Amino acid sequence: MISEIQSDIEKIEADTSIYEHANFNARANAIDFIDFHILDRIDEITLHKEDELLELRKYAQSIKDKLEHIDEEMFQQLEQQIKISKDKGLAFRSIIDKYVDSFQYVEEPLDTTGYDNLDILINGLISNKSLSQPKRELEPEMVFYQKTPARVVLELSKKVKRDDVFFDIGSGLGQVVILVHLMSSATAVGIEFEPSYCSYAKDLAIQYDLSSIEFLNEDARMADYSTGTIFFLYTPFIGQMMQDVLALLQKVSRKKIIRIFTYGPCSATIAEQNWLNCISGNPYKINKLYEFISLP
């Protein structure tokens, strides 16, 4: 077992391609392998060769640290590239194409769980700052914050046009709002209950000097959605609170056709609304993006 682990570490170290910035996917896979197939295995072994295992662990950790440092350098360069670009959306889309091009243009809707290398890239670019502790306690019907998988956001972004006004209801750290804006150039608004999350998102928008983005620290039941044409919910709340927010959106739909995109358990709940039509099939899968359109 020890010789096998040693061999695995040496193979990773010998692959010089993963030390090049452009080979982000391969480097991310190598870091993942070190974490779950080397370090975890070492921690699980209960032999009497503790000194040998300790040295092996240090060896693997040193390679992982080196690869992560390369990522940090890469993210700093890419961040600067976006900042100085006149067309930040184009710069961002070019980065996605270059580093994880297999994720952007998916012909069929994705229906998989968890996060992947695209999330690592996006987190390194726009969600890498320290976050202060939440300041407000969630109400009983509010759901704890969880990031929307980046591949889902890119799928969503393809449905948004430049002249749309996009709302993310329960926007958290602002990633969906920022990604949708960068990918589509649409005006984008985030509604977020937690002040520290909202401040974090605002700082990101300032950091990249992004226009046509707004983050509002508001209770979703009190927000003004009248300018919106597209709304997104990743199950930010349940029960009566969900019904109250849907009632606000229904009022907007009486003046114009709107579209609502959902992800997670809320899709089935929203499908019960008689003023909405789901055009993405039967919304029973929680790991699929669904699109609803309001009825005239």
Side-chain angles (χ1 to χ4, degrees):
M1 177 70 77
I2 292 178
S3 60
E4 181 183 329
I5 295 174
Q6 175 97 23
S7 176
D8 286 341
I9 300 173
E10 290 172 350
K11 285 179 182 177
I12 292 175
E13 186 178 34
D15 183 3
T16 57
S17 66
I18 62 176
Y19 301 105
E20 299 173 11
H21 282 189
N23 292 324
F24 168 77
N25 259 329
R27 186 165 55 257
N29 291 337
I31 292 172
D32 184 76
F33 188 87
I34 291 172
D35 265 333
F36 298 104
H37 297 278
I38 294 178
L39 294 178
D40 280 359
R41 274 195 295 170
I42 291 174
D43 291 340
E44 290 173 1
I45 295 174
T46 55
L47 298 177
H48 297 293
K49 298 182 179 179
E50 295 182 2
D51 291 341
E52 187 174 353
L53 285 171
L54 182 59
E55 289 304 312
L56 204 58
R57 199 183 201 292
K58 288 181 179 179
Y59 181 21
Q61 186 65 51
S62 68
I63 296 174
K64 180 189 173 187
D65 291 344
K66 184 176 181 180
L67 296 177
E68 290 180 337
H69 180 68
I70 292 171
D71 275 346
E72 290 174 6
E73 290 181 337
M74 182 194 72
F75 290 138
Q76 290 174 3
Q77 292 179 15
L78 295 179
E79 180 181 325
Q80 190 62 24
Q81 183 178 321
I82 296 172
K83 282 182 179 180
I84 65 175
S85 175
K86 292 182 179 180
D87 189 335
K88 300 181 189 303
L90 178 60
F92 182 80
R93 293 190 295 272
S94 297
I95 289 170
I96 297 297
D97 280 340
K98 180 177 180 180
Y99 289 92
V100 281
D101 57 347
S102 61
F103 291 93
Q104 183 173 2
Y105 301 109
V106 180
E107 296 299 327
E108 297 296 329
L110 292 162
D111 181 23
T112 54
T113 61
Y115 301 95
D116 50 41
N117 291 349
L118 178 59
D119 292 280
I120 297 173
L121 179 68
I122 298 301
N123 290 340
L125 286 173
I126 62 174
S127 298
N128 57 358
K129 308 302 179 186
S130 59
L131 175 67
S132 59
Q133 290 296 317
K135 299 176 181 178
R136 302 177 73 175
E137 186 174 342
L138 294 180
E139 295 183 17
E141 292 185 326
M142 294 180 179
V143 178
F144 70 92
Y145 171 64
Q146 188 172 3
K147 282 187 178 181
T148 307
R151 64 181 182 278
V152 174
V153 186
L154 293 195
E155 183 185 345
L156 167 62
S157 298
K158 298 174 198 173
K159 309 286 188 177
V160 182
K161 306 300 181 185
R162 180 185 291 268
D163 58 353
D164 277 315
V165 177
F166 172 84
F167 274 76
D168 181 11
I169 303 176
S171 55
L173 302 181
Q175 180 170 292
V176 173
V177 170
I178 291 173
L179 287 181
V180 167
H181 171 67
L182 287 171
M183 297 299 291
S184 68
S185 300
T187 297
V189 182
I191 305 295
E192 175 51 46
F193 178 76
E194 171 53 48
S196 63
Y197 293 171
C198 195
S199 296
Y200 183 99
K202 287 180 179 180
D203 288 343
L204 286 177
I206 293 171
Q207 174 186 336
Y208 282 102
D209 190 24
L210 297 177
S211 60
S212 302
I213 282 185
E214 187 175 14
F215 291 102
L216 302 175
N217 181 209
E218 296 182 1
D219 187 315
R221 293 165 291 190
M222 307 298 176
D224 178 5
Y225 301 109
S226 60
T227 61
T229 60
I230 294 182
F231 302 87
F232 174 66
L233 298 96
Y234 180 10
T235 315
F237 27 72
I238 59 174
Q240 187 57 49
M241 186 171 184
M242 174 65 78
Q243 298 303 322
D244 291 344
V245 172
L246 289 173
L248 294 177
L249 298 183
Q250 184 179 16
K251 288 182 180 180
V252 177
S253 76
R254 290 174 182 152
K255 297 183 179 180
K256 59 187 173 185
I257 300 295
I258 65 172
R259 288 185 293 157
I260 299 176
F261 288 86
T262 64
Y263 187 71
C266 72
S267 298
T269 301
I270 293 176
E272 297 173 355
Q273 300 293 308
N274 59 14
W275 57 278
L276 290 171
N277 179 39
C278 182
I279 62 175
S280 309
N282 187 3
Y284 64 93
K285 296 181 179 180
I286 64 172
N287 299 309
K288 180 179 178 181
L289 181 72
Y290 287 96
E291 179 179 0
F292 297 83
I293 188 167
S294 63
L295 300 174

